[in-house]
Amino acid sequence: MARMAGRRLLAAVPLLAVVTFGVFALAAASPFDPAKAYAGTSGLSAGQDVLDRLRENLGADRPFVARWWDWLTAALTGDLGDSASLRQPVTQVIGERVGWSVLLGGVAFALAVTVGTALGVLAARRRGGLLDRTVTSLAYVLEAAPPFWLGLLAVWGFALKLDALPAGGLTDTGSDVVTAGQVASHLVLPAAVLAATQLPWFVLYVRQGVGDALTEDPVRGARARGLSERTVLLHHALRSGLLPVLTLLGSRVPELITGALLVETVFSWPGIASATVEAATKVDFPLLAALTVLATAAVLVGNLLSDLLYGLADPRVSHEEM
Amino acid sequence: MTARSIRGVAATAMAGVLAAGAVACAAPGGGREGGAGDSLVVGLANEPETLSPLLGYGKDGNSKIFDGLLRRDAGMKLRPALAAELPKVTDDGRTYTYKLRQGVKFSDGEPFTARDVVFTYRTILDEKTNNAAKGELDAIDEVTAQGDDTVVFALKYPYAPFAERTVLPIAPEHAAKGQDVNTGSFNTAPIGTGPYVLTGWSKGEKLTFKANPGYWGGEPKVKKLTMAIIKDDDVRATRLRSGDLDGAVLPPNLVKGFKGDKDKVTLTARTTDFRGVTLPTAGKVTGDPAVRRALDLAVDRAAMVDKLLEGAGRAGYGPVPTDSEWFAEGTERPHDLEKAQRLLDDAGWRPAAGGVREKDGQRASFTLWFPAGDKLREEHALAFASDAKKAGIEVKVQSGTWEVIEPRMKDDAVLAGGGNPADPDFDLYNLLHSSLALDGFNNMAAYASPDVDKALEEGRRSGDKSARKAAYDKVQQGLADNPGYVFLTDVDHLYVVNDAWQDLTTQVEPHDHGLGAGPWWNVEDWQPAK
């Protein structure tokens, strides 16, 4: 197991280098002009000489390979460079924001997994029953609903109509101290919306997995031995039914990141998402590269984690063969 | 890890979520009272990229954290701020001398001196400084301090509106020097002489300020100021309704929802925020003076104001709005479709197949771009195309990012926007002077008229107001005779605010409207309503 983790980590290093190279190449090929993007609205009144000067100061006229190499070698020494779009060092941008994104994503993910598994098991118990049909159709509806639309709906319902929860931000808008209680209450809506966007996958996978497991020989055997329905469901069916869900855990990470991007925007959540959008549209190479590394690392870790869990949950799987 | 311990983890996570929910129920957030307190929370659509004046923050005044040498009052007249009085202009408009206010301190306690002014302007003009608006200070040749309390600007050429540029905020040399001006800590932790001190900036969420007790203009009554950044119009309206915000900028259709609300007032800020269509001089169709004049007459500006702006705006005939003191009376061009058609007939543009005119085998057809995602510009573009069609001119409306649009600006039309109310020179010169044709985003239509060029130069160099007025009348008449752009509307900016303060006003606002515009342009002077 440790050897597998080590192998994966070693493989991640060249992969990350290739991914950042790709990001630099794509950004260089994009029609966005870093100088104009940097100038923003004042660029619309800027003359050519000012734009040329900006381009030179930002190094935007240099070939992307050279910029990538400079970035990479500096990054290896711990210097991630300066973000042009946010006018601060990249480490500061990430340091200020990534924690809030991890909190939001983590809570939403945990919520989606637990609620999704519970609903999936309940639906699988009586396939075709009323509960199953309700849960399944709700899951399909949720799957089709865009996250930002769900977000607006939640703001309208819970913040406006019921006045039960704050509509956005990390703390009350008028307050400038960050307290755990404030953050917790402001976390509820965005986390619930983000969880809702992930929920259908878990519900449907668990329902399928557990439902299939319930018809398999070991479960039928257990029932025949007269074990209680509860024991059969939780100890036999759930264990083998959850296996596909474990692989799902890792593969949901990319979508969790894109979902968080939209949800953070709707709820003015001060996470990494708005910085990502900014970095992409403003061709902010250093920030974009650092964020890509982060996202790639999150996906790799997610996959590693789901493989590890799979191996632990299913004794037939050997980590050494992965 | 076994299935049992997985369940354990899940249970712990669930407990955590429930605990968070319980806290939420115990302390429902957001429900603030609507009455006047000593705090104000406003919702804005745009966040500044930086808070450093050296990179362009607050260049048009009203920066809250900083003061300029001058500031503008509600009537847009220049008033002294960090300067003790308005500047003395000598040497035929080439030298501007500012006497500085005594006893002003930065919020960290250090005194403000002439050195700070010199440092600010020199740093902005420095080649290494990434300030995209530095072109606005092009006229400056040299800025020097004479003692602690006098600053002298020597200009390259006589520049009448120069004083308008000196509303630019002054940064303290002692705090901003010695770090990378483009990315240093001063960008996010500014220190100024202004009425408010930054207490927090959670990027993408909000900026918080507290009143500066040592402010030279007296400590503001509104002690705590929060600027919440909410990009989405609907979310901003929702949070205003839920009491989370005390005021916000909103589009006209959402303002309607607050009309019946007794606790809220709607303020309409007049602007010089124009929308217009560029008619590229190099275009085969748009370059023909007859087509330009016909289009200028064929558009129904009144209908656009009614339908697109829901009445919140005015018809526009040039960058100078009709209610400005600089507007040339008599240059209005009322909607006249018949005259437009007659002009086209006389110029040889004959009706042909599909209702589109032709002349010497050239179809009267061109492309009009608008920046993708800008709904107001899209609506203007479609309305323009539909009006042009009635005159027999086909306008193909397309959307794209500025990167797509810019290389095509030479031949294709663009739905442009802009406007700076401070001085007619700022918009007119950049939009119309032939030397700036297709220079960056200046003069996008490549407009070229020797008479207009001459009048623009007279207007900028002359220190005499009536001479300037005569020059700008000539420019506007030139634009009426040969419209290089079809100006459509000036867009009002609408704000909804809790009715808890006395005598709120707005200034005439520019195209951009960030922290400094809106009713809160002078929040430091607000008094609670009785």
Side-chain angles (χ1 to χ4, degrees):
Chain A
M1 188 171 150
R3 273 177 57 196
M4 181 184 92
R7 247 189 0 252
R8 292 280 186 91
L9 284 179
L10 271 183
V13 174
L15 180 66
L16 286 174
V18 169
V19 167
T20 53
F21 185 83
V23 167
F24 273 65
L26 276 178
S30 81
F32 294 114
D33 175 354
K36 279 201 204 82
Y38 181 93
T41 44
S42 39
L44 297 183
S45 56
Q48 199 58 49
D49 53 336
V50 173
L51 291 175
D52 290 344
R53 168 63 50 200
L54 273 179
R55 193 164 291 125
E56 199 185 319
N57 284 359
L58 295 171
D61 42 2
R62 295 173 55 220
F64 80 88
V65 180
R67 306 189 66 190
W68 172 74
W69 183 250
D70 286 354
W71 177 84
L72 191 70
T73 45
L76 289 177
T77 67
D79 173 15
L80 293 180
D82 293 321
S83 156
S85 64
L86 293 162
R87 276 81 159 161
Q88 43 181 174
V90 169
T91 41
Q92 197 185 341
V93 175
I94 293 175
E96 279 172 6
R97 296 166 179 248
V98 79
W100 299 124
S101 286
V102 169
L103 177 70
L104 174 64
V107 170
F109 204 53
L111 200 62
V113 172
T114 44
V115 177
T117 307
L119 285 178
V121 170
L122 288 178
R125 270 178 74 185
R126 299 258 320 264
R127 274 208 274 192
L130 180 66
L131 183 77
D132 180 33
R133 275 178 294 152
T134 319
V135 167
T136 314
S137 33
L138 264 178
Y140 281 122
V141 170
L142 270 183
E143 204 176 346
F148 70 89
W149 181 81
L150 280 180
L152 286 176
L153 196 69
V155 169
W156 177 80
F158 291 95
L160 185 63
K161 287 291 155 194
L162 299 176
D163 198 18
L165 288 164
L170 183 64
T171 54
D172 283 350
T173 318
S175 144
D176 48 6
V177 266
V178 179
T179 62
Q182 289 242 328
V183 173
S185 68
H186 282 73
L187 182 61
V188 176
L189 274 190
V193 169
L194 188 53
T197 63
Q198 301 296 313
L199 197 61
W201 303 91
F202 294 105
V203 171
L204 297 174
Y205 262 71
V206 170
R207 175 184 169 274
Q208 191 68 39
V210 173
D212 289 349
L214 280 173
T215 62
E216 276 169 12
D217 288 345
V219 172
R220 295 227 305 271
R223 281 211 175 110
R225 291 205 305 277
L227 294 176
S228 77
E229 186 62 27
R230 189 186 150 82
T231 316
V232 169
L233 189 67
L234 293 183
H235 286 178
H236 293 83
L238 190 59
R239 183 151 180 177
S240 65
L242 275 187
L243 288 178
V245 179
L246 293 178
T247 35
L248 187 65
L249 283 180
S251 63
R252 294 312 301 165
V253 171
E255 205 149 327
L256 186 73
I257 295 175
T258 48
L261 218 112
L262 295 165
V263 170
E264 282 187 11
T265 312
V266 172
F267 289 95
S268 307
W269 189 258
I272 205 81
S274 57
T276 310
V277 177
E278 197 103 335
T281 56
K282 298 204 167 171
V283 210
D284 186 347
F285 284 102
L287 184 57
L288 200 55
L291 292 176
T292 315
V293 168
L294 265 185
T296 315
V299 172
L300 290 176
V301 169
N303 281 329
L304 177 63
L305 210 65
S306 65
D307 285 350
L308 288 177
L309 287 175
Y310 200 94
L312 284 172
D314 189 343
R316 290 167 299 181
V317 176
S318 156
H319 278 140
E320 299 315 314
E321 286 162 18
M322 279 185 178
Chain B
M1 202 185 274
T2 64
R4 187 178 297 274
S5 57
I6 293 174
R7 280 204 307 278
V9 171
T12 317
M14 195 62 185
V17 169
L18 288 177
V23 173
C25 297
R32 290 158 23 85
E33 291 305 311
D38 55 2
S39 73
L40 178 74
V41 183
V42 301
L44 301 174
N46 299 312
E47 183 171 33
E49 281 110 358
T50 165
L51 292 177
S52 169
L54 304 172
L55 295 184
Y57 168 66
K59 67 185 180 63
D60 295 315
N62 297 340
S63 71
K64 299 300 160 226
I65 311 168
F66 297 94
D67 295 299
L69 290 172
L70 304 180
R71 62 186 181 86
R72 298 192 187 96
D73 65 13
M76 298 299 283
K77 290 268 176 295
L78 286 172
R79 301 276 179 228
L82 288 179
E85 58 204 51
L86 293 180
K88 285 201 180 54
V89 187
T90 51
D91 193 17
D92 261 350
R94 249 183 267 241
T95 304
Y96 281 68
T97 308
Y98 289 79
K99 270 258 176 287
L100 303 186
R101 191 179 291 273
Q102 295 296 297
V104 175
K105 284 188 163 50
F106 286 101
S107 60
D108 62 356
E110 295 287 322
F112 156 77
T113 72
R115 287 219 321 278
D116 300 307
V117 181
V118 172
F119 165 76
T120 300
Y121 281 88
R122 282 194 186 156
T123 308
I124 293 176
L125 289 169
D126 189 286
E127 292 204 329
K128 295 261 177 333
T129 303
N130 294 339
N131 180 327
K134 69 169 79 186
E136 297 184 351
L137 301 177
D138 249 358
I140 299 178
D141 184 31
E142 183 64 89
V143 45
T144 44
Q146 288 180 358
D148 269 355
D149 65 344
T150 307
V151 175
V152 181
F153 292 88
L155 305 188
K156 295 174 194 153
Y157 45 86
Y159 189 45
F162 179 70
E164 297 282 354
R165 294 297 192 203
T166 58
V167 298
L168 182 139
I170 302 300
E173 182 178 22
H174 68 269
K177 206 176 177 174
Q179 52 174 286
D180 183 343
V181 61
N182 297 319
T183 54
S185 61
F186 189 75
N187 285 298
T188 46
I191 293 164
T193 56
Y196 288 91
V197 179
L198 184 77
T199 51
W201 183 7
S202 164
K203 285 214 179 170
E205 189 198 358
K206 67 188 170 189
L207 296 102
T208 49
F209 305 88
K210 70 171 174 31
N212 176 3
Y215 184 50
W216 56 270
E219 189 182 357
K221 286 274 193 303
V222 175
K223 299 277 184 244
K224 224 172 109 186
L225 178 62
T226 306
M227 306 272 189
I229 312 299
I230 307 160
K231 292 207 167 76
D232 189 278
D233 292 334
D234 292 298
V235 176
R236 214 176 318 114
T238 301
R239 288 177 59 176
L240 180 61
R241 190 164 284 127
S242 75
D244 189 27
L245 305 174
D246 297 313
V249 58
L250 289 176
N253 58 338
L254 290 174
V255 166
K256 272 198 296 192
F258 290 91
K259 281 276 149 64
D261 195 331
K262 273 200 236 55
D263 302 328
K264 298 213 163 39
V265 285
T266 301
L267 285 113
T268 303
R270 288 297 177 97
T271 70
T272 53
D273 184 6
F274 67 76
R275 297 291 179 278
V277 175
T278 66
L279 299 176
T281 304
K284 286 201 176 68
V285 178
T286 52
D288 184 333
V291 172
R292 293 167 178 241
R293 290 197 57 205
L295 285 170
D296 198 34
L297 292 169
V299 291
D300 190 348
R301 297 176 172 89
M304 291 186 189
V305 171
D306 277 356
K307 303 266 161 52
L308 307 186
L309 307 180
E310 314 222 4
R314 278 145 301 144
Y317 303 96
V320 182
T322 48
D323 60 350
S324 161
E325 56 173 334
W326 296 99
F327 181 71
E329 299 289 337
T331 58
E332 298 93 339
R333 279 90 70 194
H335 176 56
D336 191 342
L337 185 58
E338 274 173 33
K339 191 171 167 197
Q341 285 168 332
R342 218 163 45 239
L343 276 169
L344 289 170
D345 287 338
D346 293 349
W349 291 95
R350 301 279 171 218
V356 179
R357 291 166 186 267
E358 270 184 23
K359 180 184 179 180
D360 307 332
Q362 172 70 45
R363 269 163 59 85
S365 166
F366 62 93
T367 303
L368 169 61
W369 291 89
F370 70 90
D374 188 328
K375 196 157 162 278
L376 193 58
R377 289 199 207 201
E378 177 178 4
E379 287 170 350
H380 274 86
L382 293 172
F384 176 79
S386 130
D387 285 347
K389 190 157 191 276
K390 289 177 196 150
I393 297 173
E394 180 187 51
V395 178
K396 290 173 285 194
V397 175
Q398 293 223 34
S399 74
T401 62
W402 282 113
E403 284 73 18
V404 175
I405 298 171
E406 204 220 348
R408 296 172 168 83
M409 266 169 12
K410 188 169 156 293
D411 301 305
D412 292 348
V414 179
L415 205 297
N420 186 330
D423 192 278
D425 173 79
F426 297 165
D427 288 327
L428 289 170
Y429 197 91
N430 289 354
L431 280 167
L432 299 174
H433 200 280
S434 61
S435 68
L436 297 178
L438 295 166
D439 167 72
F441 287 96
N442 290 320
N443 195 353
M444 289 157 79
Y447 190 78
S449 153
D451 290 341
V452 169
D453 280 357
K454 199 162 148 277
L456 284 169
E457 281 151 31
E458 279 168 27
R460 108 173 333 193
R461 280 160 195 266
S462 172
D464 175 46
K465 191 161 178 184
S466 59
R468 295 193 74 202
K469 174 82 173 90
Y472 289 127
D473 280 358
K474 247 185 258 170
V475 172
Q476 292 171 70
Q477 190 57 53
L479 198 56
D481 296 339
N482 175 20
Y485 302 72
V486 179
F487 288 89
L488 303 173
T489 59
D490 287 302
V491 181
D492 286 346
H493 298 161
L494 301 182
Y495 301 88
V496 176
V497 192
N498 280 349
D499 188 16
W501 288 275
Q502 283 180 22
D503 310 327
L504 298 195
T505 53
T506 55
Q507 289 180 314
V508 179
E509 296 187 356
H511 175 58
D512 299 319
H513 44 298
L515 303 186
W520 29 88
W521 72 274
N522 67 341
V523 60
E524 60 271 21
D525 299 332
W526 285 19
Q527 306 292 328
K530 290 277 165 0

